[in-house]
Amino acid sequence: MWKVKTCIFLLCCLEFLLPTGSCRKLCQAARNSKKKESSRPGEVCTGVCVAGSLCSKLCPPGTEGSMGFVCRKQRWHKVNETCRTLNVHSIFEEKSTVYFQDMNVNKSPGKSETIAHRVLQECPVDLSCVTGKIVQSPQLPGNIEVIVQLLHNISTELTTEVDEPKMKSYSAMANHILNSSSISNWTFIPERNSSSVLLHSVNSFAKKLQIRKNPINIQDSFIHMMGSMIPADSEGMNFTFSMPVDETSRPVMGSVLSSGEELKMVPSTSQIICIAFPTLGAILEASLLENVIVNGFVFSVFLPEKLKRISLHFEKIHKSEERKTYCVGWDELENRWNRKACRMVEVSSQHAVCQCWPNKLFTSFSILMSRHTLASPVLTYITYTGLGISICSLIICLSIESLVWCQVTKTEISYLRHLCIANVAATLLMADVLFILASFLSGPETHYNACVAVTFFIHFFYLSVFFWMLAKALLILYGVLIVFHTLPKSVLVASLFSVGYVCPLVIAVITVGVTEPARGYLRADACWLNWDMTKALLAFVVPALSIVVINLVVITVVISKARRVSSGSSMFEEVRAIMRISRNIAVLTPLLGLTWGFGIAILIDDSSLAFHIIFSLLNAFQGFFILVFVTILDPKIREALKGRVNSAKWISRISEVTPPEMAVPGGKSQ
């Protein structure tokens, strides 16, 4: 604003040096500029920012559309924008004779009033009547959306073959919105599928390209197309691409190869067309909000029908051995990357080689880099050592329970208590064993069905651990608020088993039933519940942490009521038994809750090695903690074990002092 005022001051000061009419015109122009400046909408909303509130602003002068904002953390954040300079009047070259009545870039393909239809009428040879204005337009979100829709309509409405001039113009328009400087603007386009529409449109248009004799090589900065007829005596074909992913980086390499043996099965009149996109992967990632990183070119490959597979060589954009790499194909029906279309042949920190199977569903391929670093050797050592100790501890725990079962389950409440302890140990043992089994599977890529089965049972058994903890809490709550003997023992046992096994089974079945049909049940890199796409992991985390909260509330209530019971009352012994259960829950509930609380922390901050180490320690040694705090430190169990040991010693001494002649076969004395 101060610049405008200074300009007005200087111009008016020149009134003595310039003719009066000239000075008046310059001052009027400055005032008009000031007026425009003051009426320009702000970059963000100026209203009161309340969390979750929305705001809309008009685009700056000279553009059409609006900008949408949302309030987060007491600041306005732009979430969408439709600002554009392109419209039905400005998109054509001035020399064009097109009439603009009733034309709309967004009307459905096939109708006479679409711009695409006019383009094909006005410049059917090379689409040049719109190319110039499009490549000169600013890469605003609204302009990008207009160009995407235009390219889509052109590829849909064109029913004839595509030649090289048309392909060059089409490629130039696509290249303009694939520029690396426009990637951030894709995130503000209201239609999130615009990037996948662009990919589908370019592929659809390229499929109609007919190569006559000479190979085709159409290269722009951010899209490169190569095509050739297949020679009759071909020993193999190699299309090599080299392009930078932005204007400052060095070129990245990539190639598409087909062996001579496979080409011999194809008629000599066939053609192969390949397109390389260095920036489209980042655009797909940004606009679709995919939680993946595309780490190489996106290749679109069009092969003869009899040629079923192709070899793709990628140079990685981000050179790393710490993050896992996947070969993927773009699923045109679901608009997402899918690992079924390719398999990894070779991978290093610099390159990846994939073998892919193009078909009607998959024509575009790339490599993805996991956002998660590969497991640290320290974490792996902690996990497997801890799980080994946990499994041994749980086996010892169950063995001790079986040895002293008769001695410690003489009362009904003791029986129910040890029933819960035994089932907690058994379910955790099964979960740990299955966890180790899952680690030996190489992941969903090669053992998908086995991975689904193992993940289902891991989910079920880990949930069962928590639901048996809930069953213990409900048991003591029932004992405090009511009287244990009002219900038969069989009913209580059936109720405990329903809570401990039926509830987690229902949750596990619903989770796999809802997420598996869309392949959203598993993580991409491990046999465990998905988080990035379907948030299936919430089907474990929410019940588990809810039970932790419920149990802590229950033991608080029990402890407060138990203090009111005097030592001489008839309820004293039962209250003591209830307090022993409460101590178990008071130890195990925070332990289990803390363990999976750190699991949530890992989801929020996956880069923290400290969270990973704490989670691995707590998770791996759960069985050991159960053995120590629930079994060994229980005075009743220690007393029963001591009795068993003394009994064994007494029997051993009796056998030592009994003369051999007093014993006969069958154990009967004479």
Side-chain angles (χ1 to χ4, degrees):
M1 192 66 69
W2 65 270
K3 291 181 179 179
V4 174
K5 292 179 179 178
T6 305
C7 179
I8 294 171
F9 174 76
L10 291 174
L11 287 172
C12 291
C13 288
L14 288 173
E15 187 174 351
F16 297 100
L17 301 176
L18 294 174
T20 304
S22 300
C23 182
R24 189 179 292 113
K25 289 179 181 178
L26 286 171
C27 289
Q28 183 64 40
R31 290 188 185 99
N32 292 339
S33 175
K34 177 184 177 182
K35 190 178 293 183
K36 286 183 180 179
E37 181 71 25
S38 62
S39 63
R40 180 185 294 270
E43 287 299 317
V44 296
C45 291
T46 56
V48 178
C49 184
V50 180
S53 58
L54 303 176
C55 176
S56 180
K57 299 283 285 185
L58 292 176
C59 292
T63 61
E64 303 172 8
S66 62
M67 298 177 286
F69 299 84
V70 65
C71 179
R72 288 196 296 261
K73 296 181 179 179
Q74 299 183 339
R75 293 186 62 186
W76 290 108
H77 297 267
K78 185 164 67 174
V79 291
N80 59 65
E81 179 184 330
T82 59
C83 299
R84 63 187 181 277
T85 59
L86 294 175
N87 54 42
V88 293
H89 301 284
S90 64
I91 202 168
F92 288 92
E93 298 289 344
E94 292 179 1
K95 63 182 180 180
S96 174
T97 60
V98 172
Y99 295 98
F100 298 112
Q101 293 89 341
D102 300 325
M103 292 192 346
N104 191 329
V105 71
N106 293 315
K107 292 240 178 145
S108 59
K111 292 186 178 181
S112 59
E113 59 266 31
T114 62
I115 290 182
H117 185 83
R118 297 290 187 182
V119 170
L120 296 175
Q121 280 186 339
E122 190 70 18
C123 45
V125 176
D126 57 1
L127 312 179
S128 59
C129 57
V130 293
T131 306
K133 287 294 184 72
I134 284 178
V135 299
Q136 293 172 9
S137 64
Q139 293 149 342
L140 301 173
N143 282 348
I144 293 173
E145 192 170 20
V146 169
I147 296 169
V148 168
Q149 189 63 43
L150 177 62
L151 294 175
H152 171 69
N153 288 350
I154 289 174
S155 67
T156 304
E157 294 191 18
L158 185 66
T159 56
T160 60
E161 294 180 352
V162 173
D163 55 15
E164 191 168 355
K166 278 196 189 76
M167 195 70 240
K168 283 184 176 179
S169 295
Y170 196 92
S171 178
M173 290 187 282
N175 177 76
H176 180 64
I177 56 177
L178 288 168
N179 194 302
S180 58
S181 61
S182 71
I183 293 175
S184 60
N185 284 339
W186 282 85
T187 61
F188 300 119
I189 298 175
E191 180 54 57
R192 291 296 179 189
N193 284 332
S194 293
S195 55
S196 58
V197 170
L198 174 64
L199 176 59
H200 177 77
S201 302
V202 173
N203 289 348
S204 178
F205 197 82
K207 286 178 184 177
K208 301 171 184 176
L209 178 62
Q210 291 298 314
I211 302 172
R212 303 303 178 191
K213 292 182 180 180
N214 299 323
I216 286 179
N217 189 348
I218 302 172
Q219 183 170 7
D220 291 289
S221 299
F222 301 99
I223 179 172
H224 188 182
M225 172 181 290
M226 300 175 71
S228 175
M229 301 293 293
I230 299 176
D233 55 348
S234 175
E235 295 182 357
M237 301 190 74
N238 184 351
F239 299 94
T240 300
F241 301 87
S242 177
M243 286 183 287
V245 294
D246 56 51
E247 296 174 351
T248 59
S249 64
R250 69 171 188 83
V252 175
M253 304 285 290
S255 56
V256 180
L257 298 93
S258 184
S259 65
E261 293 182 2
E262 293 174 344
L263 292 177
K264 289 177 183 177
M265 304 168 58
V266 178
S268 58
T269 56
S270 303
Q271 63 183 32
I272 294 180
I273 298 173
C274 303
I275 310 175
F277 305 90
T279 58
L280 183 57
I283 290 171
L284 287 166
E285 176 188 339
S287 59
L288 294 176
L289 304 178
E290 288 275 335
N291 193 24
V292 294
I293 300 173
V294 179
N295 201 24
F297 287 151
V298 174
F299 284 124
S300 289
V301 183
F302 310 100
L303 305 176
E305 190 173 339
K306 291 188 177 181
L307 193 58
K308 300 297 184 184
R309 62 181 179 179
I310 201 81
S311 181
L312 304 175
H313 291 221
F314 297 90
E315 179 185 351
K316 292 183 177 180
I317 297 172
H318 307 284
K319 311 294 190 292
S320 174
E321 286 185 342
E322 297 178 352
R323 298 178 185 270
K324 197 166 183 179
T325 300
Y326 309 98
C327 298
V328 291
W330 182 258
D331 190 324
E332 294 190 0
L333 288 180
E334 299 183 2
N335 287 335
R336 67 182 181 92
W337 295 110
N338 195 314
R339 293 162 63 183
K340 294 190 297 182
C342 301
R343 72 175 183 90
M344 181 71 71
V345 176
E346 181 182 335
V347 65
S348 68
S349 62
Q350 304 288 321
H351 300 88
V353 180
C354 303
Q355 188 177 75
C356 300
W357 296 271
N359 53 43
K360 292 181 180 179
L361 187 61
F362 298 103
T363 54
S364 300
F365 309 93
S366 189
I367 54 172
L368 303 184
M369 180 178 73
S370 171
R371 290 187 182 274
H372 311 289
T373 57
L374 294 175
S376 163
V378 175
L379 291 178
T380 304
Y381 178 79
I382 291 173
T383 299
Y384 286 107
T385 302
L387 283 174
I389 294 172
S390 181
I391 289 171
C392 293
S393 300
L394 291 169
I395 292 172
I396 294 172
C397 177
L398 291 172
S399 301
I400 291 174
E401 284 289 333
S402 64
L403 283 173
V404 300
W405 186 262
C406 294
Q407 286 78 16
V408 297
T409 58
K410 293 179 180 179
T411 65
E412 188 171 278
I413 187 171
S414 298
Y415 174 84
L416 296 173
R417 170 183 171 240
H418 284 277
L419 181 68
C420 291
I421 292 173
N423 278 280
V424 167
T427 51
L428 186 57
L429 175 62
M430 291 299 299
D432 286 346
V433 170
L434 287 168
F435 188 91
I436 291 179
L437 177 62
S439 68
F440 285 103
L441 298 175
S442 56
E445 186 174 3
T446 54
H447 299 94
Y448 187 84
N449 292 333
C451 219
V452 169
V454 170
T455 300
F456 173 82
F457 285 108
I458 292 176
H459 183 203
F460 167 69
F461 282 115
Y462 272 131
L463 274 180
S464 293
V465 173
F466 282 91
F467 274 93
W468 273 105
M469 293 294 298
L470 177 63
K472 288 184 73 174
L474 296 177
L475 180 65
I476 64 172
L477 191 62
Y478 179 78
V480 169
L481 300 180
I482 312 176
V483 180
F484 273 105
H485 303 291
T486 56
L487 287 176
K489 180 179 176 181
S490 59
V491 174
L492 290 173
V493 170
S495 301
L496 292 176
F497 272 88
S498 297
V499 173
Y501 289 118
V502 176
C503 291
L505 181 62
V506 169
I507 294 173
V509 169
I510 291 175
T511 304
V512 71
V514 170
T515 59
E516 173 53 24
R519 291 295 180 106
Y521 184 59
L522 301 176
R523 283 178 53 173
D525 55 350
C527 296
W528 184 227
L529 298 173
N530 183 285
W531 172 256
D532 297 331
M533 189 171 68
T534 61
K535 301 292 187 290
L537 185 57
L538 290 176
F540 170 70
V541 172
V542 171
L545 296 187
S546 299
I547 290 172
V548 169
V549 174
I550 292 170
N551 284 9
L552 291 175
V553 171
V554 168
I555 61 174
T556 303
V557 171
V558 169
I559 291 172
S560 65
K561 283 188 172 289
R563 286 179 176 176
R564 302 173 190 172
V565 179
S566 62
S567 59
S569 68
S570 59
M571 291 287 294
F572 182 67
E573 287 301 322
E574 286 194 0
V575 168
R576 286 185 61 186
I578 290 172
M579 289 301 295
R580 281 195 290 272
I581 304 176
S582 300
R583 281 195 293 269
N584 292 163
I585 298 176
V587 170
L588 290 182
T589 294
L591 171 64
L592 295 173
L594 193 63
T595 299
W596 294 103
F598 275 101
I600 295 293
I602 288 172
L603 292 177
I604 296 170
D605 183 11
D606 186 63
S607 61
S608 174
L609 182 61
F611 283 165
H612 278 279
I613 291 176
I614 294 172
F615 176 74
S616 297
L617 284 169
L618 290 173
N619 188 50
F621 287 94
Q622 284 180 122
F624 176 74
F625 293 138
I626 289 175
L627 173 65
V628 173
F629 292 110
V630 177
T631 305
I632 295 178
L633 295 182
D634 188 312
K636 289 285 185 180
I637 292 180
R638 289 206 312 271
E639 184 181 337
L641 279 175
K642 187 177 180 180
R644 289 295 298 264
V645 171
N646 291 336
S647 176
K649 288 181 179 179
W650 184 80
I651 293 172
S652 176
R653 288 173 183 173
I654 290 295
S655 61
E656 287 176 1
V657 300
T658 302
E661 61 272 11
M662 294 185 65
V664 295
K668 295 181 180 180
S669 59
Q670 291 180 347

